[in-house]
Amino acid sequence: MQVLRVTGGARLHGAVDVVGAKNSVLKLMAAALLAPGDNRIGNLPAISDVAIMRQLLERLGCTVTESAHDAVDQVTIRTPAQLNHEAPYELVRKIRGSICVLGPLLARTRRAKVALPGGDAIGSRPLDMHFAGLERLGAEIRVEHGYIVAEAPDLRGASIWLDFPSVGATENILTAAVLAKGTTVIDNAAREPEIVDLCRMLVGMGAQIDGIGSSTLEINGVDGLTATSHDAVPDRIVAGTWALAALATRGDITVRGAVAHHLDIALDKVAQSGGDVEVLADGFRVAMDRRPKSFDVVTLPYPGLATDLQPQAIAALAVADGTAMITENLFEARFMFCDEIARMGADVRTDGHHAVVRGRERLSGAPVRATDIRAGVGLVIAGLVADGITEVAEVHHIDRGYVRFEEQLRSLGADVERLESTSFGG
Ligand code: UD1
């Protein structure tokens, strides 16, 4: 069991590069199922979720080749005329993002058998909106022996109102609707930059989509799509993680290759906290020279503050001056992270979907456990502002979403190493 061993004290200083977003690339790879031929996706992050999605696409009949272009990874997905329609449990259970093959498979093969996904332990993640939307398009869906079995001899456009702007439901409905007969309108659609990115790739394939970037998407189904080439949108969550790490450690980090505008609220919080935020043509810089001031956090669908930045924000707030109220509106179990950071001396109390963080001068290093990707990096940030040594176990979570995380940290001056097992004993 690998651990990241962090010796606290460093103020992170330097520049990092951000590549494509995990939460976009997985969906773009699945969307490649829609268009026979060679689909190229660039700005690819070398993370374990991408490797698993690759295996899944191969299982569905695609040939997947990775290469590098200007030192950045890219992938070519050769999609056959005939796809297999079964996404097996042993692959799907490893990544939540694999549920996004459901829409494309249904659109292409008119039937799909997709194992119920796994992914982060951040709370209950129902699929009712995915199913209701696809049923409106004419699919029949049942859950049998741990598999979603969907059949749609005839996909027809429909008007769909989502109860909540779910990212995954919007994506599955969108990727089925592009090949349905007639017009589909998705109201209260999610409008995350990753959804915009998916829409752009689909348009590149010949899909007809209006309202991209808004909460109403109108899709006119077409008979077929053609393979395309597309570069993934930069990872705003990774970029935001560096911003919060600079804030917490009183550092100075230039984040290259990011879109600052995708982090408007997060960077505004950093500025409220005393950070000096400079927007650059190709990213941004966050510099901090004193103890951060507390700020409140309310997680919401985009353009609200991302739930995927909540643990990293709590890590910064744990050493801030003042008291902060955190309201988590998406995933209730995300606060499991609070029990871990409390082991490091953080003063965090949770009640339902609220947490109160009273800032302390310093945390104290301890062995802790990553419960999901973002909790993992949140604990590493906490380790950087703790006295002594912190060991973050279950690093495989971090590897799901962060490219060479400890190498990047070391390049910024952190004392971090990967060990094969804990040195705390036991
Ligand atoms: C995606 C991201 C995840 C991010 C989340 C919210 C991927 C692989 N994961 O997850 O990192 O934290 O968006 O930005 O892209 N819900 C239902 N029924 C449904 C679908 C969702 O009740 O059918 C609820 C969920 O339980 C949650 C909320 O809606 O409370 C939002 O979930 P959703 O936007 O669907 O998140 P994911 O697509 O799973």
Side-chain angles (χ1 to χ4, degrees):
M1 187 190 67
Q2 292 189 333
V3 301
L4 281 188
R5 180 185 161 98
V6 184
T7 305
R11 298 171 69 161
L12 300 187
H13 196 284
V16 285
D17 293 303
V18 169
V19 291
K22 168 181 94 72
N23 286 351
S24 192
V25 162
L26 298 176
K27 325 305 172 63
L28 302 177
M29 290 176 78
L33 293 167
L34 288 164
D38 283 349
N39 292 282
R40 187 202 69 93
I41 299 164
N43 207 19
L44 196 77
I47 51 176
S48 61
D49 271 20
V50 165
I52 293 164
M53 185 52 107
R54 172 187 176 153
Q55 290 171 38
L56 180 54
L57 293 180
E58 285 170 342
R59 197 65 80 83
L60 294 171
C62 299
T63 307
V64 185
T65 323
E66 277 174 52
S67 56
H69 178 70
D70 285 344
V72 178
D73 291 342
Q74 60 176 4
V75 68
T76 302
I77 298 161
R78 175 164 295 176
T79 303
Q82 295 291 326
L83 287 166
N84 305 327
H85 71 283
E86 184 168 332
Y89 176 63
E90 76 264 21
L91 293 174
V92 171
R93 74 182 172 84
K94 295 184 185 161
I95 51 167
R96 172 81 191 174
S98 55
I99 186 66
C100 61
V101 299
L102 182 61
L105 275 184
L106 206 50
R108 278 293 309 286
T109 67
R110 303 289 148 149
R111 60 193 179 137
K113 190 173 169 194
V114 178
L116 284 164
D120 291 337
I122 56 177
S124 115
R125 295 175 89 169
L127 296 169
D128 53 313
M129 286 188 266
H130 298 238
F131 295 170
L134 294 172
E135 281 167 352
R136 294 277 299 172
L137 297 180
E140 278 184 21
I141 301 182
R142 54 188 194 277
V143 173
E144 263 178 18
H145 310 298
Y147 277 79
I148 303 158
V149 181
E151 286 166 11
D154 194 23
L155 280 175
R156 293 174 313 273
S159 290
I160 295 162
W161 295 266
L162 294 179
D163 293 345
F164 186 90
S166 153
V167 170
T170 303
E171 289 162 345
N172 264 328
I173 298 165
L174 175 65
T175 48
V178 285
L179 288 179
K181 280 195 196 73
T183 303
T184 299
V185 176
I186 312 175
D187 250 320
N188 201 22
R191 51 196 176 111
E192 271 66 6
E194 295 76 26
I195 302 264
V196 172
D197 202 29
L198 175 61
C199 287
R200 290 203 176 127
M201 175 159 160
L202 294 170
V203 167
M205 290 174 162
Q208 293 180 7
I209 308 172
D210 279 337
I212 295 175
S214 79
S215 52
T216 304
L217 292 173
E218 186 173 319
I219 303 124
N220 285 309
V222 293
D223 290 337
L225 295 170
T226 50
T228 192
S229 175
H230 182 86
D231 287 331
V233 70
D235 198 316
R236 65 196 162 98
I237 306 300
V238 171
T241 300
W242 292 123
L244 290 161
L247 185 75
T249 64
R250 307 181 198 186
D252 183 345
I253 304 181
T254 299
V255 183
R256 295 183 298 225
V259 181
H261 163 60
H262 291 164
L263 284 163
D264 276 345
I265 295 188
L267 292 177
D268 188 54
K269 294 282 175 191
V270 168
Q272 274 176 40
S273 185
D276 189 4
V277 178
E278 190 186 346
V279 175
L280 308 169
D282 181 32
F284 58 85
R285 175 180 170 196
V286 172
M288 185 65 177
D289 59 2
R290 67 200 98 119
R291 188 176 177 198
K293 285 200 293 278
S294 278
F295 52 89
D296 289 340
V297 167
V298 180
T299 66
L300 283 171
Y302 188 83
L305 191 85
T307 175
D308 286 351
L309 286 173
Q310 183 246 88
Q312 303 90 313
I314 290 183
L317 292 166
V319 290
D321 182 13
T323 300
M325 168 77 91
I326 320 295
T327 306
E328 172 54 56
N329 287 314
L330 284 96
F331 296 115
E332 70 280 9
R334 196 137 237 178
F335 284 150
M336 278 161 68
F337 162 79
C338 295
D339 295 335
E340 292 300 310
I341 197 170
R343 304 195 70 254
M344 303 176 66
D347 185 347
V348 190
R349 278 166 192 244
T350 60
D351 184 4
H353 66 124
H354 295 292
V356 173
V357 184
R358 294 186 180 86
R360 295 232 156 118
E361 278 281 348
R362 295 267 328 141
L363 301 179
S364 128
V368 287
R369 187 173 67 88
T371 46
D372 69 77
I373 309 179
R374 315 302 170 186
V377 290
L379 291 167
V380 171
I381 295 174
L384 292 168
V385 292
D387 291 326
I389 290 169
T390 295
E391 282 185 3
V392 181
E394 308 213 14
V395 186
H396 61 94
H397 285 297
I398 297 178
D399 296 335
R400 289 189 48 206
Y402 289 77
V403 182
R404 293 183 288 278
F405 189 52
E406 70 268 26
E407 276 174 43
Q408 288 198 295
L409 281 167
R410 276 199 294 271
S411 78
L412 296 171
D415 185 349
V416 182
E417 58 183 326
R418 186 179 289 248
L419 307 178
E420 286 308 315
S421 62
T422 178
S423 63
F424 276 108

